[in-house]
Amino acid sequence: MIEIKDLNKQFGKFQVLRHVNLNIDAGQCVAMIGPNACGKTTLIKCMLGMVIPSSGNIYIKGKDIAGQFDYRHHLGYMPQKGRYPDNMTIGQVIDMMKDIRKGQSPFDEQLIYDFKLNTILHKKMRTLSGGTIQKVSAALAFMFNPDVLILDEPTAGLDPISADILKEKIHAVNKQGKLVIITSHLLSELDDLVSHVVLMQDGSIRFSMPVDVLRTETKTHSLSKAITHILKHDLVQ
Amino acid sequence: MILFNKIDKYILFDILKNRIVIAYTILLGILAWSVFTLEADSNKGVLTLLNIVLLTTPLVSIIFTAIYLYNSAEFIELLLSQPAGRKKIWNGLFFGLFASLAISFMLGAGIPILLFAPPNISLILVVMGCLITAVFVALGFLCAILTRDKARGIGISILIWLFFSLLFDGLVLFLMFQFAEYPIEKAMIGVSAMNPIDLARIFIILQMDVSAMLGYTGAIFKEFFGSGMGTIIGFATLCLWVIVPYWISLSRFVRKDL
């Protein structure tokens, strides 16, 4: 589904991504983890076409994405920190996105109702709290039934109930065979969701493997323990 | 109105509801109405208004554009994650910003101008107001793409405005005194093309009787800009002031990492 080949990215002298190679398939739920400034966000932005790689290629559904934008019909993106034009209402933001992606109906509006956004459609984006903006971002990401969902710290600003709603939705979509990529620092949050783990460090991929393999290898039950175990004992080279 | 793509429509409605833009419209309206109702001679009124418009419109256009673009950074990222090309997004932002600022200029200053000013002047004044808006929106785009830092970008945009509305004239005056001995009148036409505000001012003043008071330079200007060819060249130069900064910003945006 997504194939990344020898991807490099430099910002000036600073090399953010070094020789990244990665294969992810449909139906997986991938957790991208790693310390701050390890290149997670840059890698995601490369997939979304926001950052243009210095060298290397990304193939989504078999097609090179360099200079393209049609492939984004298959993508849903939920940013870590969403911000929308101040005077637009929630309803207008949703309408605008529908307008931009007109051909992709029927729209999946379940999250709009689950988050009860339908009752506050007239509210201006300026007046919304951080959590509510996150809900709008989440609703927009899922609205167009994308084959690939990229979620940057999806539950960071949400209350536990809303986070649960979102996790349910991620789980449901993943079961339909869609690919979900999540970045998060909260490993315990991801425990019951993810099927694969990609650990990044200093701009390169340290390892990428299914969760069950990781658990058996480290003989631990929870994801966070497994990761800390690996980091402490430096098991994977 | 022709909407070039879907993005500009929503941005237009967003900006029209913006408090600064509403205040700008009301301010222009109050100034224009009071100038025309207090001044019996509509020609004098046009001159007063011209100076006010050529000071406020560039300032509001360039700074508002720069601030809006910096504040929209995350929104632009979100748009980029949608199936839309970068050119389309940048064009949408440009037309949204230009259309909303031009509309507020028309509502605030355009209506009283069309009502009170002599017909031949009113039309050109309104057209120049919109063109100057376009020029400084384009320069605002250039400022916003040149640097990632919001404070620096807004600083640059203020400097550009200061340069074109104040410093440039001082510089020209200095040069004129230095080269007073030489026949520099023709060269002055070329120099005035370096400043879109001056160009717009010359266009409008030459439509009025007061241009007779401009002296020899004024006569040369009248000869050049009064002719059909000169008008076209002057107008084309103003359009270049829109196209070139915008084109530079667009070509940088297409390659930019967000």
Side-chain angles (χ1 to χ4, degrees), chain B residues 156-168:
Chain B
I156 295 172
S157 64
I158 293 175
L159 274 181
I160 288 179
W161 171 78
L162 207 64
F163 177 75
F164 284 132
S165 42
L166 298 170
L167 300 179
F168 188 86

Side-chain angles (χ1 to χ4, degrees), chain A residues 9 49-50 52 72 87 101, chain B residues 14 74 80 82 86 257:
Chain A
K9 178 65 193 174
M50 292 176 195
I52 298 157
R72 288 187 219 135
N87 294 301
R101 302 176 77 153
Chain B
D14 172 51
E74 292 92 354
L80 269 178
Q82 308 300 319
R86 287 192 171 204
D257 293 322

